[in-house]
Amino acid sequence: MSAPATDSTAYSPRQNDVLDSALRLLVEGGEKALTTAGLARAANCSKESLYKWFGDRDGLLSAVIEFQARKVRVPAEAEGLLNAAELRQRLEEFARELLAVLASDASLALNRLAIGQASGEGARLGRLLQERGRRGIGRRIEALLEAARDAGLLAFDEAGEAYATLYGLIVTDQHLRWLLGEKPDAASFGPRAEKAVAAFLRLHGI
Amino acid sequence: MSAPATDSTAYSPRQNDVLDSALRLLVEGGEKALTTAGLARAANCSKESLYKWFGDRDGLLSAVIEFQARKVRVPAEAEGLLNAAELRQRLEEFARELLAVLASDASLALNRLAIGQASGEGARLGRLLQERGRRGIGRRIEALLEAARDAGLLAFDEAGEAYATLYGLIVTDQHLRWLLGEKPDAASFGPRAEKAVAAFLRLHGI
DNA sequence: GCGCAAACGTACCGTACGGTACGGTACTTG
DNA sequence: CAAGTACCGTACCGTACGGTACGTTTGCGC
């Protein structure tokens, strides 16, 4: 859909390679590992090029976040559900995906980066991450919830609030624990997703 | 022999003053603002004393976390509830307190610090924060939940799981949003607490 | 083949930080 | 009062980073 001609974020293949190296450094060693000299060495480019392309270190960090957000872009859901079993299945799938995304190395690294920057600074990266990442997912699932309500399968006042409840039931404090260094256990995603959706349906199902 | 032993309460009043200054610096400017020279200036002490007391910068960071955890220590609940209305009130109070703690400057600063350190390092500070902070609150509220179950007011299989559900309903993704820089709105804590507890009771209440 | 722009590699600069060393000072202890 | 201890303030060292400058190389249009 969106032509790659969106000039604001038009990065050449070479620049995308560099951003890929930057993300890898970030995942492996955190913000401290993402130095201009280190990135230049890892990506076989010159520091001068980095400053030419991204302005300064902050621009580089923002570019990495946008780079990753662009990769995660999920295609819109096919809009053809309707019975209760299908809704449950959709929600469980969403829950598993959400847990997998939040537990991924890249997501954790970028969230850690943005959270580290949020102190003292104006939370630029935090807003960026919020806007590019969670917001998209939220809009998508809220649309699903509203469709289900129109079909008489769910009851709630406000989609945003219902989504917040669903999110809380799925994620609880796992995300924070992962951010603090706990290792994710992918095998637990499935059961957790099922339980969370069951609780959600008990709260908002018809 | 390196660090003066993480022996907890072995800090003098002078050292506690210094840790207080350190926490203030951390709250105001994040990890970058907590430099040895800056702390020495802010606390009117010498850098040499800092290294003598805390070993190195990491020891200082750990000491700040323990220092704050010791201050937050909440007294055990009075164990004399029983009817459903009181349980609801207790849970709502807990929810409001939890939101207030998570939204506090000190908590956010320390969580940001530990999360920043969690990349690349072995998540020492993360485990420390988890152990000293959340764990204590969790044990306390789980005891309340089990007491309520014994009194026939709640139904659940495992207290840890029920607590996770309650936590998720209360906090949703607010904690992360705050960590990313969003400003907390204290006026929303009350309504949110009531709704979360209402949902929890609909799930687990008799 | 030629010229030109882009980008590479490296050397360099200023700064700021973690950590150490040292002289001076106040306060205790015999 | 003398010896000792704990601490302050400051100066210092090595290192590492962000950012800049420059000479060299690569690739593409003509």
Side-chain angles (χ1 to χ4, degrees):
Chain A
M1 40 136 202
S2 71
T6 46
D7 36 3
S8 64
T9 58
Y11 290 122
S12 74
R14 178 70 183 121
Q15 288 162 11
N16 277 325
D17 286 349
V18 172
L19 289 176
D20 201 56
S21 292
L23 183 57
R24 185 175 354 263
L25 287 176
L26 209 56
V27 165
E28 286 169 4
E31 182 186 354
K32 298 177 301 302
L34 183 51
T35 67
T36 53
L39 177 58
R41 202 174 322 114
N44 288 324
C45 72
S46 72
K47 289 176 63 174
E48 196 168 25
S49 298
L50 293 180
Y51 286 100
K52 182 172 193 174
W53 294 333
F54 308 110
D56 58 4
R57 190 169 182 272
D58 256 29
L60 173 63
L61 298 180
S62 303
V64 173
I65 289 183
E66 294 202 26
F67 168 73
Q68 169 67 5
R70 215 169 313 132
K71 285 204 310 188
V72 175
R73 185 76 59 196
V74 190
E77 300 248 354
E79 283 295 357
L81 81 137
L82 266 336
N83 71 31
E86 270 191 20
L87 174 62
R88 177 185 295 266
Q89 191 189 353
R90 286 275 189 94
L91 291 177
E92 286 177 359
E93 189 176 344
F94 165 73
R96 280 189 298 268
E97 266 182 38
L98 178 61
L99 290 171
V101 168
L102 294 184
S104 70
D105 286 342
S107 165
L108 290 175
L110 292 179
N111 274 283
R112 289 195 184 108
L113 169 66
I115 288 171
Q117 294 277 119
S119 258
E121 280 206 40
R124 281 187 32 263
L125 294 185
R127 270 194 303 269
L128 187 58
L129 196 63
Q130 195 78 351
E131 213 60 39
R132 298 280 182 179
R134 217 192 62 94
R135 216 77 161 193
I137 287 184
R139 293 272 180 263
R140 194 174 113 237
I141 198 67
E142 283 178 23
L144 174 63
L145 294 180
E146 280 173 342
R149 180 176 59 180
D150 292 347
L153 297 172
L154 291 178
F156 53 81
D157 288 342
E158 210 256 313
E161 209 168 311
Y163 171 54
T165 298
L166 177 60
Y167 185 102
L169 287 170
I170 295 170
V171 178
T172 68
D173 68 341
Q174 273 291 354
H175 198 193
L176 181 68
R177 301 232 299 266
W178 292 334
L179 287 170
L180 285 171
E182 192 173 306
K183 294 292 285 177
D185 170 27
S188 70
F189 294 173
R192 170 155 239 151
E194 289 168 19
K195 286 182 185 171
V197 169
F200 179 76
L201 290 177
R202 245 187 303 153
L203 284 173
H204 290 291
I206 295 295
Chain B
M1 55 204 61
S2 54
T6 46
D7 208 351
S8 46
T9 56
Y11 290 123
S12 74
R14 177 69 181 120
Q15 287 162 11
N16 278 325
D17 286 350
V18 172
L19 289 176
D20 201 57
S21 291
L23 184 56
R24 187 177 350 267
L25 287 177
L26 208 55
V27 166
E28 287 170 1
E31 183 187 352
K32 298 177 300 303
L34 183 49
T35 67
T36 53
L39 176 58
R41 202 175 319 116
N44 288 325
C45 73
S46 72
K47 288 175 64 174
E48 196 167 24
S49 298
L50 293 181
Y51 286 99
K52 183 174 192 172
W53 295 333
F54 307 110
D56 58 2
R57 189 168 183 272
D58 255 30
L60 173 64
L61 298 180
S62 302
V64 173
I65 289 184
E66 293 201 25
F67 168 75
Q68 169 67 6
R70 214 170 312 132
K71 285 202 312 190
V72 173
R73 186 76 56 196
V74 190
E77 299 247 354
E79 282 295 357
L81 82 139
L82 267 343
N83 70 33
E86 271 190 20
L87 174 63
R88 177 185 294 267
Q89 192 190 350
R90 286 274 190 95
L91 291 177
E92 286 178 356
E93 190 176 340
F94 164 75
R96 279 189 299 266
E97 268 183 38
L98 178 61
L99 289 171
V101 168
L102 294 184
S104 72
D105 285 342
S107 165
L108 290 176
L110 292 179
N111 274 284
R112 288 194 185 111
L113 170 63
I115 287 171
Q117 293 279 118
S119 259
E121 279 206 42
R124 280 187 32 262
L125 294 184
R127 271 194 302 270
L128 186 60
L129 196 62
Q130 194 80 350
E131 213 60 38
R132 300 277 182 182
R134 215 192 62 95
R135 217 80 160 191
I137 288 185
R139 294 270 180 266
R140 193 174 114 238
I141 197 67
E142 284 177 21
L144 175 62
L145 294 180
E146 280 173 343
R149 180 175 59 178
D150 293 346
L153 296 172
L154 290 180
F156 52 81
D157 288 340
E158 210 257 313
E161 210 167 312
Y163 171 53
T165 299
L166 177 60
Y167 185 101
L169 288 169
I170 295 169
V171 178
T172 68
D173 69 339
Q174 273 291 354
H175 197 194
L176 181 69
R177 301 232 297 265
W178 292 334
L179 287 169
L180 285 171
E182 191 173 305
K183 296 292 286 176
D185 170 27
S188 71
F189 294 173
R192 169 155 237 152
E194 289 168 20
K195 286 182 187 173
V197 170
F200 179 77
L201 291 177
R202 244 185 304 153
L203 283 174
H204 291 291
I206 295 294

